[in-house]
Amino acid sequence: FLLFFLLLGVFTALRTERALQPASEFSSQAAQAALAGNLEDGIGLFQRAKGRWAGAKTRIAAVADHTPMEEIDALLAETEVFAQAGDAEHFAACCARLSRLIAAVSDAHSPDMENIL
């Protein structure tokens, strides 16, 4: 019975990491694009990151700490406001923070021995 739960934990950790990694990367690329003067591409990458986060969020909601998840949701909303305003500098800063937060959630649920035990 315990082996079943251990395997379930490892499987969940693997899926979480695979789901969150692209969201973090898209957010980072969005920040870089906006800083390079290409806000439209940055917004497109941000939308991809937002979609990946939405899909991953439903998978990890039962096992993840909700505080960073709520921070990510709030930061997504804030980033959306800067995107609509055309404020590339603040948009890029939010995307960079978003990338780091998503990566931190991914790391916290990675299939490392300390996370599994």
Side-chain angles (χ1 to χ4, degrees), residues 4 10 34 47 51 53 60 71 75 78 83-84 88 92-93 111-112:
F4 169 75
V10 170
Q47 292 300 333
W53 168 251
I60 66 170
E71 288 178 36
L75 191 53
E78 183 179 346
Q84 290 174 359
D112 297 335

Side-chain angles (χ1 to χ4, degrees), residues 56-66 69:
K57 182 180 169 183
T58 58
R59 290 186 206 128
I60 66 170
V63 295
D65 180 7
H66 285 267
M69 291 176 67

Side-chain angles (χ1 to χ4, degrees), residues 81-95:
V81 169
F82 289 127
Q84 290 174 359
D87 187 340
E89 185 177 320
H90 287 101
F91 172 81
C94 285
C95 285

Side-chain angles (χ1 to χ4, degrees), residues 77-115:
E78 183 179 346
T79 307
E80 191 78 45
V81 169
F82 289 127
Q84 290 174 359
D87 187 340
E89 185 177 320
H90 287 101
F91 172 81
C94 285
C95 285
R97 284 180 40 217
L98 190 59
S99 176
R100 288 190 304 273
L101 271 173
I102 293 172
V105 170
S106 177
D107 289 346
H109 297 89
S110 66
D112 297 335
M113 191 56 72
E114 67 182 50
N115 288 341

